[in-house]
């Protein structure tokens, strides 16, 4: 895919949604961090249902730590892998309190040192909470990048590196959200909705549908 075509793709995505953001509900960087940890192998809808109960009761590292493991599990037990997620969140709270003054760090190394936080989660927090031009490659972004030809790659890291090189600078901060939303609602895994896609004529997918 050439540079002009990629630029036009992101121009259209921006025109349709000028201010994209995550569908996870949060009000602080810490709440976002917790929500993203909970979202692994879970839907944003399911996470939001749980955090709507959790955050009014405990929305800081100290408050969640005070709940203890059993207390935290009561709020997140509807989410997959909640046992391991509860342990990771409590350990993350301890580290934030002991090493970072209860604040979410703004650098990748410190974020990735937190339990339950890998590169993808760190990228989401850096991008969404702190406005960094990072791109977290989840299953949606991986699929859209490969299917459209924007930034094909064999694994998430390869796709991330290519996106960071190929997405025009003016679109880089929001590219993460545009691609996720496009994959979630239009470029679906089983059958993409090519007929209602705003970038269908630019996409290089060979098996387009009429939907």
């Amino acid at each position: 895919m050439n540079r002009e075509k990629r630029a036009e793709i992101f121009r259209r995505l921006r025109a349709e949604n000028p201010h994209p953001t995550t569908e996870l509900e949060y009000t602080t960087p810490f709440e976002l961090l917790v929500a993203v940890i909970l979202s692994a192998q879970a839907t944003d809808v399911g996470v939001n249902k749980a955090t709507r109960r959790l955050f009014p009761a405990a929305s800081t590292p100290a408050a969640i730590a005070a709940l203890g493991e059993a207390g935290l599990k009561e709020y997140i037990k509807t989410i997959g892998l909640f046992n391991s997620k509860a342990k990771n969140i409590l350990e993350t709270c301890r580290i934030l309190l002991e090493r970072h003054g209860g604040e979410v760090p703004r650098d990748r190394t410190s974020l990735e040192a937190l339990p339950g936080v890998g590169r993808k989660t760190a990228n989401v927090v850096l991008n969404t909470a702190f406005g960094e031009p990072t791109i977290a490659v989840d299953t949606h972004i991986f699929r859209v990048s490969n299917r459209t030809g924007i930034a094909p790659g064999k694994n998430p890291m390869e796709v991330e590196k290519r996106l960071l090189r190929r997405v025009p600078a003016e679109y880089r901060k929001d590219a993460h959200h545009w691609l996720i939303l496009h994959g979630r609602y239009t470029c679906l895994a089983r059958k993409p909705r090519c007929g209602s896609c705003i970038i269908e004529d630019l996409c290089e997918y060979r098996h387009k549908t009429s939907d």
Side-chain angles (χ1 to χ4, degrees):
M1 180 177 288
N2 62 46
R3 184 182 304 174
E4 291 74 20
K5 192 181 283 188
R6 278 196 298 272
E8 176 62 14
I9 283 173
F10 286 102
R11 188 197 67 76
R12 291 185 192 179
L13 292 173
R14 181 173 67 182
E16 184 182 54
N17 185 2
H19 305 290
T21 189
T22 180
E23 293 187 318
L24 291 171
E25 296 171 1
Y26 74 99
T27 57
T28 65
F30 176 70
E31 287 185 358
L32 176 64
L33 175 62
V34 171
V36 179
I37 292 173
L38 291 173
S39 72
Q41 298 181 48
T43 66
D44 288 359
V45 171
V47 172
N48 289 337
K49 285 180 180 177
T51 57
R52 282 175 201 152
R53 295 178 56 245
L54 171 63
F55 290 154
S59 61
T60 65
I64 287 184
L67 290 176
E69 192 170 325
L72 177 56
K73 285 180 182 179
E74 279 301 307
Y75 288 99
I76 66 170
K77 62 186 178 182
T78 55
I79 297 173
L81 307 175
F82 72 92
N83 285 310
S84 60
K85 290 175 182 179
K87 289 184 173 68
N88 285 336
I89 289 170
L90 287 170
E91 182 63 11
T92 285
C93 290
R94 184 188 67 78
I95 293 171
L96 292 179
L97 290 166
E98 291 182 1
R99 302 181 194 171
H100 302 287
E103 299 295 322
V104 176
R106 297 183 66 142
D107 66 283
R108 178 185 301 283
T109 301
S110 298
L111 282 168
E112 290 188 19
L114 299 171
V117 178
R119 185 176 183 86
K120 184 176 75 173
T121 299
N123 277 337
V124 172
V125 173
L126 289 170
N127 178 270
T128 306
F130 301 127
E132 298 289 335
T134 57
I135 299 175
V137 179
D138 68 349
T139 56
H140 296 300
I141 292 183
F142 185 79
R143 179 176 67 256
V144 170
S145 298
N146 276 284
R147 185 182 274 168
T148 61
I150 291 172
K154 296 177 182 176
N155 55 61
M157 191 68 198
E158 202 171 277
V159 169
E160 180 186 333
K161 287 180 177 178
R162 287 182 177 168
L163 283 169
L164 290 172
R165 286 199 308 269
R166 296 179 180 181
V167 175
E170 64 178 298
Y171 303 115
R172 211 166 287 150
K173 187 174 79 70
D174 292 322
H176 166 82
H177 298 299
W178 285 321
L179 293 174
I180 281 182
L181 294 170
H182 191 68
R184 188 171 286 169
Y185 296 110
T186 303
C187 197
L188 307 180
R190 291 187 178 179
K191 188 180 181 183
R193 299 173 58 213
C194 301
S196 56
C197 175
I198 62 168
I199 61 169
E200 189 264 346
D201 59 312
L202 303 168
C203 171
E204 297 181 353
Y205 184 49
R206 294 180 182 177
H207 308 289
K208 292 177 182 173
T209 70
S210 57
D211 289 3

